[in-house]
């Protein structure tokens, strides 16, 4: 496959090319060496994977110098390091992203071409590390990208799941899950650090004792011990030398000679122990929302948090630091409550393991932690049964009781006689079975608490964390989410990136406020023409992929109306389906009905145990089967469920969208980040006043956004006054006809049972108020249609969306975290 080699310097592409510190000839030589020395192949015998691996190692070599220089900086005592603790990091493929950030994309593409290789084929070979479920995990990945780009010394800490989020197949319209095997062919992006290990304890009991100074102390006598091993992945910033580190922990059994001491001669006991230990990091829980009381999940959380905190304490001690000043060297962010046990663990490390007194240790702890909340759904707030918690972590349980005792004293001081408030705020829920409330622990143990969009933060203050806000308002702040324009525009949408760069230069990639300069071109018909050409090209690419993955033919000149995100009732994919059926009914009633040709595209995974979500997937596919083959429709409407939506596929989906569906029940979606990815790629949004939609609409202008539906306040008051979905049903004949289509069995070969759980839930409960919003949604869709028919108008709106989305860069979000919460400054890295 490798044909010829001549050194030739390529002209740097304006957008994805750029400078490099290696000649083309050097790249070519390194690549060939990796084919031979790393993969053990002659060029002719190299498989596609060998070639991918060789290229990945070639690129990784380019990162290492920067990485080592960055890690050296982390060892300076005069700098402060951000530690981002997250149970999920949904990184997506590394190769293309690293090439863009290095500025080597164009050089490497040409070098590959000269070797007779299509670089896209090599990109395709990379299995993405799917170490996350959805928004929360992807946000963590965007934040790592921005931290490095802004030259902030930072570490990500998490779990090296052997099996990430499952692969989704659609079989007969149903979701079928397959275990992910991202490590099967090896992972060239990680470096194992077998010498960086920590012991993590579980179970057992505690015991008081007196130390040398005669002070009262407690020691933990655990029942079992697991070893955590570090695996490091370099995270390079965009066109900078900062290359931070993502450290993921793998669980292993402690060395066998050590547990021989525990279980004398019990070989099979030792084998069981080994299997049991390695279980901890086997698999990601595939649930985007709550996981009820699964012991292994709690073990995962403590496992990675304990390893990470021990690592920070070790690094800090290497600097000769005095632990009372720990918080001036580390700012730790808790990505949701999953790592919140860290508050108790840091206290244990400081007090039990390092002999600090409680009060100074508590001050260090509070100054170190910040907590980000990501949900308003009450059922998603994590809590653990006290028995389970105390059984696994007897010492942490005691520490939490002590934190609680002191905290509730303060509450009583501030609000004398208000025992209801004390019960509401307690770290322990004692209203029935006793639970540890992780969000309360996180709030009390952090100096900063933030929501992820303005509306979300306001609702946190008013509802979910209201008591905490009343007592400590100074802790609360908003940090509206953002996404990285590197992956979601430059990498995903090279056509649009080139068009933009041709007009305003390439600085927008790091400073997307500059996209505003596109506004002055909205009146240029030639520019609008170009803009449409780019979109059409992206739609053709997606159409090709849809044909490959589903066999469905879609028309790239139809409106691409897309909803991709985890399947959840609050996100209301089924409201979108109701609209499709309504249009279908209009056509059936009058085949001459002038419908705007549309392709409805859905994608997203359902938690394997989430019955309703899986039924919604089946409904989408059943409606697709009927609509796509109906001769009255005659191809004017197409419905597609794109299987296995993930970061890799997302690259083809966001850039191809005309319309972005952001239709959650107001007050339920904390922020949303897909909404930002769509709009940055020139899609217009149809959406509710929920999460960051509110701010997107403010930025792009109300006239460039299709708003509909109840407000969060409307939702609350409707609920309070006894919401009756039947009233909406009775007063809307079109809605009745839509529901009738489903319940009659029209989409299920006459089976009236298949969708009855969905229909009944809508008619009799409708927790997420689809029926209340149906009419408004239909009206807004009518406006969408009208706007789309006027392509010049639509293009203007699309351009203005892109031009005004600068705020939603994760760089802006990270700058705010740095200034308001972490108090950290950039530390540029030099290579010499
Ligand atoms: C998750 O992906 C999110 C919240 C959660 O509590 C869990 Br668990 C997983 C999402 C929110 O639903 C989105 O609205 C938000 O944009 C995202 O987190 C990032 O903040």
């Amino acid at each position: 496959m490798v044909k010829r080699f001549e050194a030739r310097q390529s002209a740097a592409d304006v957008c994805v090319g750029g400078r490099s510190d290696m000649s083309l000839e050097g790249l070519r030589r390194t690549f060939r060496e990796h084919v031979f020395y790393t993969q053990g192949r002659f060029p002719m015998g190299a498989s596609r994977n060998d070639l991918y691996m060789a290229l990945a190692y070639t690129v990784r070599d380019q990162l290492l110098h920067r990485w080592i220089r960055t890690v050296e900086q982390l060892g300076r005592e005069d700098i402060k390091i951000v530690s981002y603790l997250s149970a999920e990091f949904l990184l997506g493929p590394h190769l293309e992203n690293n090439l863009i950030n290095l500025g080597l994309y164009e050089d490497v593409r040409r070098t590959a071409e000269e070797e007779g290789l299509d670089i896209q084929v090599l990109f395709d070979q990379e299995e993405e590390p799917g170490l996350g479920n959805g928004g929360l995990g992807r946000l963590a990945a965007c934040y790592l990208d921005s931290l490095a780009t802004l030259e902030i010394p930072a570490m990500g800490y998490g779990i090296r799941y052997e099996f990430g989020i499952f692969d989704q197949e659609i079989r007969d319209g149903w979701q079928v899950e397959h275990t992910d095997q991202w490590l099967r062919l090896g992972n060239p992006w990680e470096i194992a650090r077998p010498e960086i290990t920590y012991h993590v304890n579980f179970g057992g009991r505690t015991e008081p004792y007196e130390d040398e100074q005669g002070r009262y102390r407690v020691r933990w006598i655990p029942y079992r011990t697991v070893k955590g091993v570090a695996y490091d992945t370099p995270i390079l910033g965009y066109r900078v030398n900062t290359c931070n580190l993502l450290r993921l922990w793998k669980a292993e059994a402690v060395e066998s000679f050590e547990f021989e001491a525990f279980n004398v001669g019990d070989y099979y006991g030792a084998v069981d122990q080994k299997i049991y230990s390695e279980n901890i990091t086997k698999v990601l829980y595939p649930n985007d929302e709550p996981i009820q009381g699964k012991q292994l999940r709690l073990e995962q959380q403590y496992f990675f948090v304990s390893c990470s905190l021990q690592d920070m304490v070790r690094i800090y001690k290497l600097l000769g630091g005095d632990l009372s000043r720990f918080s001036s060297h580390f700012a730790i962010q808790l990505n949701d409550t999953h790592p919140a046990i860290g508050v108790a663990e840091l206290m244990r490390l400081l007090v039990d393991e390092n002999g600090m007194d409680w009060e100074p240790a508590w001050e260090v702890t509070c100054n170190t932690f910040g907590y980000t909340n990501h949900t308003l759904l009450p059922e998603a707030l994590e809590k653990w049964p006290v028995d389970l918690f105390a059984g696994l972590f007897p010492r942490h349980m005691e520490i939490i009781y002590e934190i609680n005792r002191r905290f509730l004293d303060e509450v009583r001081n501030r609000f004398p006689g208000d025992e209801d408030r004390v019960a509401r705020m307690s770290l322990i829920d004692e209203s029935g079975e006793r639970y540890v409330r992780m969000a309360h622990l996180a709030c009390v143990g952090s100096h900063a608490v933030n929501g992820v969009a303005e509306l979300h933060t306001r609702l946190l203050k008013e509802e979910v964390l209201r008591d905490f806000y009343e007592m400590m308002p100074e802790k609360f702040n908003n940090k509206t989410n953002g996404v990285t324009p590197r992956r979601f525009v430059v990498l995903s949408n090279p056509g649009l990136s080139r068009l933009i760069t041709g007009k305003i230069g390439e600085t927008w990639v790091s400073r997307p406020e500059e996209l505003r300069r596109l506004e002055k071109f909205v009146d240029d018909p030639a520019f609008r023409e170009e803009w449409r050409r780019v979109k059409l090209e992206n739609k053709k690419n997606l159409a090709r992929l849809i044909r490959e993955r589903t066999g469905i033919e879609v028309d790239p000149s139809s409106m691409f109306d897309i909803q991709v995100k985890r399947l959840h009732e609050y996100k209301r994919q089924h409201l979108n389906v109701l609209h499709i059926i309504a249009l279908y009914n209009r056509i059936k009633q009058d085949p001459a009905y002038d419908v705007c040709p549309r392709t409805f595209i859905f994608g997203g995974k359902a938690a394997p145990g989430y019955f309703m979500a899986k039924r919604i997937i089946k409904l989408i596919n059943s409606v697709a089967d009927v609509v796509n083959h109906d001769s009255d429709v005659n191809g004017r409407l197409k419905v597609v469920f794109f299987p296995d939506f993930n970061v890799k596929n997302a690259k083809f989906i966001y850039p191809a969208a005309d319309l972005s569906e952001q239709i959650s029940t107001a007050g339920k979606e904390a922020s949303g980040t897909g909404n930002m990815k769509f709009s940055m790629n020139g899609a217009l949004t149809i959406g509710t006043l929920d999460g960051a939609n509110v701010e997107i609409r403010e930025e792009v202008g109300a006239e460039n956004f299709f708003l509909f539906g109840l407000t969060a306040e409307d939702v609350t008051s409707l609920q309070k006054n006894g919401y009756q979905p039947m009233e909406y049903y009775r007063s809307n004949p079109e809605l009745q006809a839509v529901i009738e289509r489903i319940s009659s069995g029209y989409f299920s070969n006459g089976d009236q049972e298949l969708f009855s759980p969905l229909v009944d839930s809508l008619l009799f409960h409708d927790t997420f108020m689809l029926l209340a919003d149906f009419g408004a949604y239909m009206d807004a869709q009518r406006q969408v249609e009208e706007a789309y028919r006027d392509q010049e108008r639509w293009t203007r709106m699309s351009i203005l969306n892109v031009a005004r989305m600068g705020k939603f860069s994760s760089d802006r979000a990270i700058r705010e975290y740095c200034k308001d919460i972490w108090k950290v400054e950039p530390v540029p890295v030099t290579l010499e």
Side-chain angles (χ1 to χ4, degrees):
M1 282 196 219
V2 181
K3 283 195 215 138
R4 62 206 156 89
F5 63 98
E6 306 138 27
R8 173 148 52 81
Q9 193 61 51
S10 64
D13 182 285
V14 275
C15 193
V16 288
R19 49 163 283 276
S20 72
D21 46 22
M22 204 184 200
S23 65
L24 286 184
E25 183 46 38
L27 282 173
R28 189 180 349 253
R29 187 168 0 93
T30 310
F31 173 71
R32 290 178 169 199
E33 284 181 356
H34 279 300
V35 171
F36 185 72
Y37 290 106
T38 309
Q39 295 305 112
R41 300 282 192 203
F42 288 129
M44 288 309 174
S47 69
R48 191 176 286 181
N49 191 59
D50 290 325
L51 297 169
Y52 158 69
M53 292 290 271
L55 182 56
Y57 283 116
T58 306
V59 173
R60 196 183 82 175
D61 291 348
Q62 295 291 304
L63 303 184
L64 286 177
H65 196 184
R66 293 171 173 83
W67 194 17
I68 292 164
R69 291 292 293 166
T70 307
V71 172
E72 277 171 12
Q73 303 275 7
L74 299 183
R76 273 168 50 184
E77 56 189 309
D78 58 331
I79 61 145
K80 189 168 180 183
I81 303 171
V82 174
S83 271
Y84 199 82
L85 261 59
S86 179
E88 305 187 5
F89 287 93
L90 193 43
L91 298 169
H94 293 280
L95 176 56
E96 192 173 1
N97 199 243
N98 281 329
L99 285 175
I100 286 169
N101 286 5
L102 279 166
L104 278 180
Y105 185 100
E106 207 37 42
D107 285 354
V108 167
R109 191 190 63 72
R110 280 168 209 231
T111 307
E113 195 177 85
E114 286 165 15
E115 299 277 312
L117 301 170
D118 178 352
I119 199 168
Q120 295 300 329
V121 172
L122 299 189
F123 289 157
D124 275 357
Q125 188 63 29
E126 182 171 356
E127 290 248 17
E128 77 172 75
L131 307 186
N133 274 287
L136 171 138
R138 182 55 232 180
L139 186 78
C142 284
Y143 283 1
L144 292 184
D145 177 274
S146 286
L147 280 162
T149 296
L150 297 175
E151 305 180 291
I152 305 295
M155 310 252 307
Y157 279 110
I159 301 174
R160 184 179 179 274
Y161 300 106
E162 188 175 333
F163 302 102
I165 187 66
F166 62 85
D167 295 334
Q168 178 192 56
E169 185 200 347
I170 300 299
R171 200 187 288 163
D172 192 25
W174 296 96
Q175 167 175 299
V176 177
E177 301 93 15
H178 298 280
T179 48
D180 159 64
Q181 303 221 5
W182 71 292
L183 293 170
R184 184 182 37 188
L185 299 174
N187 174 9
W189 303 104
E190 70 183 3
I191 295 186
R193 300 286 185 203
E195 75 285 17
I196 302 181
T197 69
Y198 300 96
H199 282 182
V200 179
N201 297 324
F202 297 90
R205 59 191 172 82
T206 65
E207 188 178 80
Y209 70 100
E210 255 183 33
D211 68 10
E212 300 86 66
Q213 291 104 46
R215 292 182 306 174
Y216 173 85
R217 295 274 143 190
V218 179
R219 73 174 139 243
W220 176 14
I221 299 144
Y223 172 72
R224 67 192 171 98
T225 301
V226 170
K227 187 172 81 174
V229 184
Y231 284 73
D232 292 346
T233 301
I235 306 289
L236 177 68
Y238 178 74
R239 308 291 159 90
V240 291
N241 293 323
T242 300
C243 186
N244 284 325
L245 171 126
L246 171 60
R247 180 160 284 174
L248 302 179
W249 302 101
K250 174 181 194 283
E252 290 186 0
V254 292
E255 289 74 9
S256 54
F257 72 87
E258 270 176 79
F259 67 90
E260 263 166 37
F262 291 123
N263 336 260
V264 184
D266 180 7
Y267 185 75
Y268 287 102
V271 170
D272 286 350
Q273 187 76 358
K274 182 167 166 60
I275 290 168
Y276 197 74
S277 301
E278 294 183 355
N279 261 343
I280 292 182
T281 54
K282 265 299 163 220
V283 50
L284 166 75
Y285 279 92
N287 222 301
D288 202 43
E289 295 293 347
I291 295 136
Q292 5 49 272
K294 285 263 188 268
Q295 173 166 332
L296 185 61
R297 167 78 175 182
L298 183 55
E299 291 175 359
Q300 289 183 334
Q301 294 180 351
Y302 178 65
F303 167 77
F304 97 87
V305 167
S306 178
C307 289
S308 309
L309 287 171
Q310 289 185 65
D311 198 42
M312 288 177 243
V313 168
R314 178 194 55 109
I315 292 170
Y316 188 67
K317 283 181 168 176
L318 279 177
L319 302 176
D322 167 0
L323 281 172
S324 68
R325 291 187 29 83
F326 183 79
S327 65
S328 59
H329 195 64
F330 282 106
I332 306 180
Q333 194 65 21
L334 303 171
N335 195 25
D336 215 302
T337 54
H338 316 140
I341 196 173
V343 170
E345 174 68 355
L346 185 57
M347 284 301 285
R348 189 188 69 81
L349 292 171
L350 296 176
V351 174
D352 294 2
E353 307 270 315
N354 290 281
M356 260 172 102
D357 288 330
W358 183 277
E359 287 80 7
W362 182 243
E363 197 177 307
V364 168
T365 299
C366 293
N367 287 334
T368 302
F369 285 106
Y371 160 52
T372 305
N373 173 290
H374 295 265
T375 188
L376 290 161
L377 303 180
E379 69 273 21
L381 291 176
E382 249 191 325
K383 51 184 193 171
W384 293 100
V386 164
D387 291 344
L388 174 65
F389 199 97
L392 277 175
F393 310 117
R395 180 55 184 148
H396 297 80
M397 196 67 248
E398 291 174 358
I399 290 171
I400 287 170
Y401 283 141
E402 181 61 15
I403 294 171
N404 200 31
R405 189 185 65 75
R406 290 166 182 254
F407 171 63
L408 295 183
D409 276 353
E410 274 177 56
V411 177
R412 290 193 174 96
N413 252 322
R414 277 287 307 278
F415 305 94
D418 193 348
E419 283 304 304
D420 284 349
R421 181 186 298 266
V422 171
R424 287 198 309 268
M425 295 184 80
S426 173
L427 303 192
I428 311 296
D429 175 357
E430 310 198 66
S431 57
E433 193 198 342
R434 296 170 73 233
Y435 290 100
V436 184
R437 293 161 159 164
M438 301 309 278
H440 293 201
L441 177 62
C443 278
V444 174
S446 301
H447 66 283
V449 177
N450 74 281
V452 290
E454 276 166 18
L455 173 67
H456 170 231
T457 302
R458 178 166 70 76
L459 295 174
L460 274 183
K461 291 177 182 175
E462 288 172 6
E463 290 160 27
V464 187
L465 297 174
R466 176 178 173 171
D467 294 319
F468 291 87
Y469 178 62
E470 276 177 21
M471 187 166 155
M472 31 211 186
E474 69 290 346
K475 281 193 187 182
F476 284 73
N477 67 99
N478 176 247
K479 293 286 166 282
T480 298
N481 283 168
V483 303
T484 171
R486 270 76 63 184
R487 181 175 293 273
F488 290 105
V489 185
V490 178
L491 182 155
S492 301
N493 203 338
L496 189 67
S497 301
R498 255 191 303 272
L499 178 57
I500 294 172
T501 298
K503 283 288 176 195
I504 65 170
E506 64 178 317
T507 50
W508 62 272
V509 179
S510 328
R511 284 193 301 275
E513 325 73 79
E514 299 201 0
L515 289 168
R516 291 260 174 190
R517 289 171 28 219
L518 289 172
E519 286 193 30
K520 64 170 178 286
F521 300 106
V522 286
D523 291 323
D524 174 354
F527 182 65
R528 292 201 303 269
E529 186 62 43
E530 278 290 286
W531 193 269
R532 280 193 293 274
R533 193 190 49 74
V534 167
K535 180 63 78 180
L536 183 63
E537 207 48 46
N538 293 338
K539 289 164 76 174
K540 287 179 181 166
N541 288 337
L542 179 58
R544 195 172 317 122
L545 199 62
I546 287 173
R547 185 185 322 117
E548 267 169 45
R549 304 279 162 96
T550 69
I552 301 172
E553 289 288 341
V554 303
D555 175 5
S557 70
S558 65
M559 182 202 305
F560 277 20
D561 175 340
I562 310 189
Q563 186 171 22
V564 286
K565 48 181 79 242
R566 287 301 289 251
L567 261 291
H568 205 295
E569 288 163 282
Y570 85 76
K571 297 178 189 281
R572 302 199 294 192
Q573 281 92 352
H574 45 339
L575 178 59
N576 188 342
V577 176
L578 297 185
H579 170 241
I580 298 172
I581 298 173
L583 293 182
Y584 176 76
N585 282 348
R586 288 181 192 175
I587 292 173
K588 292 310 277 183
Q589 202 166 45
D590 171 15
Y593 176 73
D594 185 22
V595 72
C596 170
R598 280 205 212 201
T599 303
F600 297 91
I601 300 166
F602 294 84
K605 295 173 186 178
Y610 189 170
F611 174 87
M612 281 295 188
K614 291 184 131 177
R615 217 34 82 100
I616 293 171
I617 292 180
K618 177 64 176 169
L619 176 65
I620 294 168
N621 284 303
S622 301
V623 171
D625 277 346
V626 170
V627 170
N628 295 351
H629 299 111
D630 190 301
S631 56
D632 289 338
V633 176
N634 195 20
R636 289 175 294 169
L637 303 181
K638 282 279 170 75
V639 181
V640 174
F641 191 94
F642 190 100
D644 202 34
F645 176 60
N646 58 19
V647 179
K648 200 170 167 181
N649 295 326
K651 162 180 169 176
F652 298 98
I653 295 177
Y654 296 118
D658 294 306
L659 187 65
S660 155
E661 298 273 350
Q662 307 300 334
I663 60 178
S664 52
T665 316
K668 304 295 178 194
E669 188 72 272
S671 161
T673 45
N675 47 5
M676 302 167 188
K677 296 163 195 169
F678 276 111
S679 182
M680 278 184 184
N681 282 283
L684 304 189
T685 306
I686 183 166
T688 49
L689 281 178
D690 200 15
N693 294 355
V694 179
E695 292 158 74
I696 292 175
R697 179 167 169 270
E698 266 166 27
E699 290 292 305
V700 305
E703 67 287 5
N704 299 306
F705 187 106
F706 301 98
L707 179 72
F708 75 96
L710 303 172
T711 64
E713 281 65 37
D714 296 338
V715 168
T716 317
S717 69
L718 248 185
Q719 218 113 50
K720 208 173 60 213
N721 302 326
Y723 171 56
Q724 297 285 352
M726 266 302 176
E727 286 172 14
Y728 293 87
Y729 179 78
R730 287 206 195 89
S731 63
N732 187 333
E734 182 158 44
L735 175 58
Q736 286 168 28
V738 167
I739 298 280
E740 169 61 20
R741 271 283 182 216
I742 303 174
S743 54
S744 68
Y746 188 87
F747 299 113
S748 42
N749 304 309
D751 181 348
Q752 302 187 347
E753 306 288 282
L754 186 61
F755 299 121
S756 65
L758 268 172
V759 170
D760 292 351
S761 144
L762 288 182
L763 293 182
F764 304 117
H765 307 283
D766 197 19
T767 320
F768 298 106
M769 300 189 165
L770 281 78
L771 302 203
D773 271 344
F774 176 80
Y777 183 55
M778 290 297 299
D779 293 344
Q781 287 286 17
R782 164 83 76 182
Q783 288 168 30
V784 167
E785 201 173 306
E786 211 174 283
Y788 194 77
R789 285 176 195 273
D790 180 351
Q791 280 290 298
E792 294 299 339
R793 174 177 168 216
W794 186 274
T795 310
R796 281 169 205 272
M797 293 169 79
S798 169
I799 295 169
L800 291 178
N801 263 259
V802 174
R804 297 173 179 176
M805 281 298 288
K807 169 176 173 186
F808 303 97
S809 165
S810 43
D811 297 349
R812 185 273 313 151
I814 286 297
R815 276 194 203 97
E816 292 178 5
Y817 277 96
C818 288
K819 178 165 168 292
D820 303 339
I821 301 180
W822 302 329
K823 318 285 183 205
V824 296
E825 301 275 345
V827 180
V829 174
T830 52
L831 286 185
E832 241 29 80

